């Protein structure tokens, strides 16, 4: 069974996000520099904007949903 782990630390992800949001670099230029898909950085930005730094943490188990969901 494989474990999903990120190649990048949370600090590195936040740095990349800040390069796009604060330093006004394009997602394309940041993704090329780090050799990532631009979709990955877009997803990280979305998770960061909705859940903060905690949204960038990797899931460590199964998600449990209530029956109402």
């Amino acid at each position: 069974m494989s474990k999903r782990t990120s190649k990048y630390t949370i600090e590195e992800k936040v740095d990349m996000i800040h390069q796009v949001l604060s330093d006004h670099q394009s997602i394309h230029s940041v993704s090329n520099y780090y050799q990532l898909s631009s979709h990955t950085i877009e997803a990280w930005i979305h998770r960061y904007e909705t859940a903060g730094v905690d949204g960038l943490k990797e899931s460590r188990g199964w998600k449990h949903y209530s029956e109402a969901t």
Side-chain angles (χ1 to χ4, degrees), residues 5 10-11 14 29-30 33 36-37 39 41 45 49-50 63:
T5 57
I10 292 176
E11 292 80 15
V14 169
S29 66
V30 174
Y33 182 80
L36 281 170
S37 164
H39 298 288
I41 295 178
I45 290 171
E49 288 178 333
T50 56
K63 293 194 185 321

Side-chain angles (χ1 to χ4, degrees), residues 5-51:
T5 57
S6 179
K7 181 177 171 180
Y8 298 98
T9 66
I10 292 176
E11 292 80 15
E12 290 170 322
K13 291 177 184 179
V14 169
D15 182 53
M16 291 180 222
I17 291 167
H18 281 271
Q19 287 179 35
V20 173
L21 299 179
S22 300
D23 299 342
H24 305 292
Q25 293 185 31
S26 70
I27 290 175
H28 183 73
S29 66
V30 174
S31 68
N32 281 343
Y33 182 80
Y34 290 100
Q35 298 179 345
L36 281 170
S37 164
S38 59
H39 298 288
T40 300
I41 295 178
E42 288 172 353
W44 290 347
I45 290 171
H46 176 71
R47 288 175 17 200
Y48 181 76
E49 288 178 333
T50 56

